[in-house]
Amino acid sequence: MKLSLALLSSNFMAVSSFQISSPSFVGRKSSIVRMSNNNIIVDAPMPTPDTEGKSLKDPMGLYSPDSEERKDGRIQTDDEAEVSKSIYDPLGIYPNDSEERQNGQIKDSEPDLKVIKAVIDPMNIYSSEEIINNDAVMSEALPFLTRPIMLDGSMVGDAGFDPLGFAQTEEDLMNYREAEIKHGRLAMLAAAGWPLSELFDKKIALALHMSPMVDAADRAPSILNGGLEKVNPFFWMACLVGASAIDVYGISKSKSDDESYFPGNLGFDPLGIYPKTEEGQQRMQLAEIKNGRLAMISIVGFAIQEFVFKSGVIDQSPSFF
């Protein structure tokens, strides 16, 4: 019985043949597999219309050397295969003569540096000048930095100074210019009023039989000098109401659809000195913004100077007063 089963199995393996389709080749090609008791014979996959004329990969060596595909040069060898994955080797584990390095698969731990902004390189840190973008516009205020994107030079007084990148949008830029104009105008009034108060406060107070606001060292009241408690509260209320009214009017002007409006343009020109020509207007606006910036620096200097030296600015620079 056992001998009969063995003979039957041997005969069945010798004469049986069947055709299978590999799942990985579905829709592409079919393989013919013949099995016998001695060996397994696999015919090369049959080409389909989808594979004709295209390069084929044969990592398992299914195509015989005399197959039509190999004769046509359509079989792609491992050496010709495209390297699809990069290998990062920061420790240098792969030797220089390794197959991976020769194929260009080995990459550094970080991508190659690409400079997208202009770079000042006085120490020659960058090995190649090709990575430096010489076409970028440098800031006038800070020549070692590129000009911020929003500061294109079209605005009066624009020197490309925004190292912290506050202005990210056009709306931000207009708001900051409004704030700069307001603080600049207030600082110009303060820079003039500070020394004038030290010059004439005592004289006016004596004439009106009142106590002077400046101290014995001729220092004007300030946060650092003290003496703000001497100021009448109604004065602070009047300043707050006046400043609020001006600010509300300025906001309404900025929100209007007036095309002639620009930051700080409140239409206040009682003496009619604002030029009529565009060139003259640009010159007047530039003068205001420059004097405002200088006044903001000056008023801070006044406060620090009097706090440190304990004397009024008129006493420290008597030649000006």
Side-chain angles (χ1 to χ4, degrees):
M1 181 67 179
K2 294 181 178 180
L3 181 60
S4 299
L5 291 175
L7 292 174
L8 179 61
S9 176
S10 176
N11 293 334
F12 176 78
M13 292 293 292
V15 301
S16 64
S17 65
F18 56 92
Q19 179 174 347
I20 62 172
S21 297
S22 174
S24 61
F25 297 139
V26 173
R28 295 186 297 167
K29 47 185 172 292
S30 300
S31 299
I32 305 301
V33 182
R34 299 188 185 91
M35 304 181 66
S36 68
N37 58 337
N38 295 327
N39 53 15
I40 300 175
I41 303 174
V42 182
D43 287 351
M46 300 298 293
T48 64
D50 293 338
T51 62
E52 292 182 357
K54 296 183 179 180
S55 298
L56 302 175
K57 295 182 180 180
D58 185 23
M60 300 179 64
L62 299 180
Y63 290 90
S64 60
D66 57 349
S67 64
E68 182 180 355
E69 289 78 9
R70 288 195 181 277
K71 293 180 179 180
D72 293 342
R74 293 163 52 196
I75 304 302
Q76 190 176 21
T77 61
D78 293 340
D79 296 337
E80 297 173 349
E82 181 181 1
V83 178
S84 59
K85 294 183 179 180
S86 298
I87 300 176
Y88 294 96
D89 183 25
L91 300 179
I93 299 176
Y94 288 85
N96 294 331
D97 56 350
S98 63
E99 182 180 355
E100 290 80 6
R101 286 195 181 276
Q102 294 178 357
N103 292 338
Q105 291 179 260
I106 306 301
K107 303 293 182 182
D108 296 332
S109 59
E110 296 181 357
D112 296 337
L113 177 63
K114 292 183 179 180
V115 179
I116 59 175
K117 294 184 178 180
V119 177
I120 302 299
D121 188 23
M123 300 179 65
N124 295 324
I125 297 176
Y126 295 94
S127 58
S128 175
E129 295 182 356
E130 296 179 356
I131 63 177
I132 300 177
N133 181 11
N134 295 319
D135 296 331
V137 180
M138 305 303 293
S139 170
E140 296 179 13
L142 302 173
F144 52 88
L145 294 178
T146 54
R147 175 181 284 273
I149 297 177
M150 298 307 303
L151 302 180
D152 56 1
S154 60
M155 183 178 293
V156 175
D158 177 13
F161 183 82
D162 186 17
L164 300 181
F166 287 130
Q168 297 294 327
T169 63
E170 185 72 20
E171 184 179 1
D172 291 342
L173 182 60
M174 292 298 104
N175 290 334
Y176 283 123
R177 173 48 65 92
E178 287 277 5
E180 184 181 29
I181 292 291
K182 291 177 182 178
H183 285 82
R185 290 171 177 174
L186 183 61
M188 285 188 283
L189 292 175
W194 190 302
L196 290 177
S197 66
E198 295 179 349
L199 282 172
F200 300 106
D201 178 71
K202 288 184 177 180
K203 297 178 182 179
I204 296 175
L206 291 175
L208 299 177
H209 304 286
M210 299 175 64
S211 299
M213 293 290 178
V214 298
D215 60 12
D218 295 332
R219 297 188 307 170
S222 69
I223 295 177
L224 297 179
N225 294 339
L228 293 176
E229 68 280 356
K230 300 178 182 180
V231 181
N232 194 313
F234 290 101
F235 174 79
W236 296 122
M237 293 177 60
C239 290
L240 181 61
V241 172
S244 299
I246 296 174
D247 202 37
V248 169
Y249 177 72
I251 292 175
S252 63
K253 288 278 292 182
S254 64
K255 301 299 183 182
S256 64
D257 296 331
D258 187 3
E259 296 181 356
S260 63
Y261 178 81
F262 54 87
N265 181 18
L266 301 180
F268 181 78
D269 186 23
L271 301 180
I273 59 176
Y274 191 65
K276 303 299 182 181
T277 63
E278 183 177 357
E279 181 180 358
Q281 292 175 358
Q282 296 284 331
R283 184 174 63 253
M284 183 70 73
Q285 295 175 26
L286 182 60
E288 182 184 33
I289 196 67
K290 284 186 174 181
N291 283 278
R293 291 169 178 172
L294 181 61
M296 287 188 281
I297 297 175
S298 300
I299 201 65
V300 173
F302 288 171
I304 295 176
Q305 185 176 343
E306 290 192 353
F307 176 74
V308 172
F309 295 102
K310 306 300 180 182
S311 62
V313 293
I314 60 173
D315 297 328
Q316 298 176 34
S317 53
S319 58
F320 292 101
F321 304 100

